[in-house]
Amino acid sequence: MTLDDAMNALRERIEPGRAEGMATYHKAPREYLGIANPVLNDLTKAWRTELDVDTRVRLASDLWDTDIFEARLAATKLLTQARLRPDDTAWELIKSWAPDFDSWAIADHVCMAGQKRLIADPSRLDDIEAWTTSDHMWTRRAALVITLPWTKQNNPKPAELEARDRILGWAASYVHDPQWFIQKSVSWWLRDLSKHDAPRVRKFLAEHGEAMKPFARKDAARKLPPLES
């Protein structure tokens, strides 16, 4: 499948009148075709079935380079799969996209693909740690979004707990950052973790909560279960 094939398939699924609303909502200045996300899901699911890994990675790279909103989303969806072997080229491509992040929608779709690759090889957290000190706000934010799977284990193994504490250390380094999206990424990570590991969230908030913006501190604690009397 070539880029032209993929773009023709995307353009066949344009919903008239939808692009204008998407451009207003997402704000980032790029072309929007006007395709609903479930339609993109169905299309890219079919592509994943038809294409080998090397072809998918090449096509994902080409789609990303168009800078068209739905093409970039399709690029991420081509790589959002738990079992992807070999996956080194996919991981390198996902990492290479981080400097281009300029909106939450595209960044979060990339992070969903990246989460699968991190779960497949947790040693890749070493790569993500470098994102936490980036000058690029969206890259720093992505370091917490892409590591959300470590908030979700109910019975974490020692290595998973070690990773959880490592990422909480990254979150702690963010609490003095005044940018809304950074504060929100910290509260998102803590809120998700609170459903599975309330003691760690309470400890974090006790140590760092005062430095967080009030909205983020409140959001982080929103799902904490009540303390037993």
Side-chain angles (χ1 to χ4, degrees), residues 9-220:
L10 288 171
R11 293 186 187 282
E12 288 173 358
R13 289 159 174 80
I14 289 173
E15 182 180 328
R18 187 182 184 89
E20 293 79 6
M22 292 175 64
T24 299
Y25 177 72
H26 291 291
K27 298 183 175 64
R30 57 171 45 87
E31 182 180 353
Y32 297 81
L33 299 177
I35 305 172
N37 197 54
V39 175
L40 285 176
N41 287 338
D42 290 343
L43 182 60
T44 53
K45 182 179 179 180
W47 289 349
R48 290 200 305 266
T49 301
E50 298 165 3
L51 304 177
D52 62 32
V53 173
D54 288 343
T55 304
R56 284 160 58 184
V57 171
R58 175 184 52 75
L59 180 58
S61 179
D62 290 344
L63 285 165
W64 183 270
D65 287 343
T66 67
D67 196 25
I68 296 170
F69 181 76
E70 289 89 346
R72 286 198 161 182
L73 261 57
T76 72
K77 293 174 186 293
L78 276 171
L79 305 182
T80 304
Q81 183 176 337
R83 297 181 64 84
L84 189 67
R85 293 289 184 270
D87 72 344
D88 287 342
T89 56
W91 175 239
E92 291 302 318
L93 182 59
I94 289 166
K95 288 193 298 177
S96 76
W97 289 340
D100 295 335
F101 294 166
D102 59 3
S103 69
W104 64 266
I106 289 177
D108 288 2
H109 274 84
V110 174
C111 287
M112 289 174 65
Q115 287 171 10
K116 306 296 187 184
R117 309 280 54 82
L118 285 176
I119 293 168
D121 184 356
S123 72
R124 290 168 174 160
L125 287 172
D126 292 345
D127 295 333
I128 300 304
E129 186 159 20
W131 292 12
T132 66
T133 56
S134 172
D135 292 334
H136 184 224
M137 182 274 289
W138 290 105
T139 298
R140 296 198 307 279
R141 173 186 177 273
L144 293 188
V145 180
I146 203 170
T147 54
L148 282 168
W150 277 271
T151 67
K152 303 182 188 304
Q153 304 103 336
N154 282 317
N155 299 293
K157 299 174 182 176
E160 292 168 337
L161 286 175
E162 182 178 350
R164 183 175 288 179
D165 287 334
R166 179 183 187 183
I167 300 162
L168 283 169
W170 303 347
S173 74
Y174 286 6
V175 297
H176 294 283
D177 191 319
Q179 297 191 73
W180 189 91
F181 277 105
I182 296 296
Q183 291 281 320
K184 185 65 176 178
S185 70
V186 174
S187 70
W188 183 1
W189 217 92
L190 294 171
R191 187 182 69 246
D192 279 10
L193 181 61
S194 70
K195 304 170 191 176
H196 307 276
D197 193 344
R200 273 182 168 78
V201 175
R202 287 197 171 92
K203 182 175 184 292
F204 185 99
L205 292 174
E207 294 176 355
H208 306 289
E210 287 301 314
M212 296 170 66
K213 294 290 185 182
F215 85 87
R217 186 169 62 247
K218 181 178 180 180
D219 184 54

